[in-house]
Amino acid sequence: MPTVPPPDDEQPPVGDAGFVPNPFTYHLSQAPAEPLSGGSVKVFDTRNFPAATTIVGQLVTVEPGAMRELHWHPTESEWGYFLYVPNAIR
């Protein structure tokens, strides 16, 4: 009978090359928000998530009546997801 691997919190991942040098998870919900005029932003990039070598992510909160900064990327793609949460508890 095959052995069952231990839960993730009991043993760090290992492979033929040894330990994984950078974790592949980042808890954006636990990151501090940088307050801005009209909302806030949480950012993950290589400064706080070393595994994100080719991507940057943001969680932008826009308060009612505010507007997200207009910008564009002439040589890169950008994905945007918008969540409307009426009567959100803050």
Side-chain angles (χ1 to χ4, degrees):
M1 175 174 274
T3 59
V4 176
D8 289 341
D9 60 350
E10 289 185 17
Q11 179 178 330
V14 295
D16 294 338
F19 289 98
V20 175
N22 296 317
F24 289 97
T25 58
Y26 183 74
H27 300 280
L28 190 58
S29 63
Q30 297 172 7
E34 179 184 342
L36 303 170
S37 174
S40 65
V41 64
K42 295 181 179 188
V43 178
F44 77 81
D45 57 19
T46 55
R47 294 173 295 176
N48 53 17
F49 184 35
T53 59
T54 60
I55 190 170
V56 173
Q58 296 182 340
L59 175 61
V60 179
T61 301
V62 181
E63 298 294 334
M67 182 175 157
R68 183 173 178 235
E69 177 183 326
L70 298 175
H71 68 282
W72 57 91
H73 306 275
T75 61
E76 300 295 331
S77 299
E78 177 175 316
W79 295 2
Y81 297 92
F82 298 88
L83 303 173
Y84 172 68
V85 184
N87 304 316
I89 299 173
R90 299 193 199 287

